[in-house]
């Protein structure tokens, strides 16, 4: 029997909350924003790309919803396994708890 993650715990959310991951994402976001600000042509290309990605994401979510609903029990098992693996990684690799600059 696989012990369940606490209710509403999602492995992706946990990974994104790790200081090493969140600080990397913040750094990339700052770099992306400053690049767009410094280069107007690049900003317009990025905005077109962003709108395309948002549209594609919305379409993918809409089309995948029936499949996701059907596979929800399997996703729950996979999420629990991934949470356990993340628990193990956090225990064995303390550096995950530090921002990238440390």
């Amino acid at each position: 029997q696989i012990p369940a993650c606490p209710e509403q715990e999602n492995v992706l959310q946990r990974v994104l909350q790790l200081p090493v991951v969140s600080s990397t994402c913040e750094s990339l976001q700052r770099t992306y924003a400053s690049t767009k600000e410094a280069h107007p042509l690049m900003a317009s290309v990025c905005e077109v790309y962003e709108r395309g990605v948002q549209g594609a994401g919305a379409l993918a979510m809409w089309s995948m919803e029936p499949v996701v609903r059907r596979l929800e029990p399997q996703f729950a098992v996979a999420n629990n396994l991934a949470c356990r693996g993340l628990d193990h990684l956090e225990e064995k690799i303390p550096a995950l708890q530090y921002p990238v600059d440390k």
Side-chain angles (χ1 to χ4, degrees):
Q1 181 75 10
I2 299 168
C5 287
E7 192 68 32
Q8 298 182 355
E9 184 174 40
N10 178 301
V11 72
L12 182 57
Q13 290 170 336
R14 278 189 57 193
V15 167
L16 291 173
Q17 290 172 356
L18 288 172
V20 70
V21 175
S22 63
S23 68
T24 300
C25 290
E26 289 168 6
S27 176
L28 289 171
Q29 189 174 17
R30 282 192 305 271
T31 301
Y32 180 73
S34 66
T35 300
K36 280 176 53 176
E37 192 175 301
H39 304 284
L41 180 58
M42 180 68 109
S44 62
V45 170
C46 289
E47 287 168 12
V48 169
Y49 174 74
E50 289 166 11
R51 282 194 299 272
V53 168
Q54 286 174 343
L59 179 60
M61 289 295 291
W62 175 80
S63 63
M64 291 298 296
E65 186 178 357
V67 175
V68 170
R69 218 176 277 146
R70 175 171 276 158
L71 295 175
E72 201 165 1
Q74 290 85 348
F75 288 144
V77 170
N79 184 62
N80 286 335
L81 286 171
C83 284
R84 287 178 52 205
L86 187 55
D87 290 340
H88 182 72
L89 282 176
E90 287 178 312
E91 182 181 311
K92 297 292 181 187
I93 308 171
L96 294 174
Q97 300 303 323
Y98 298 104
V100 173
D101 58 353
K102 290 187 180 182

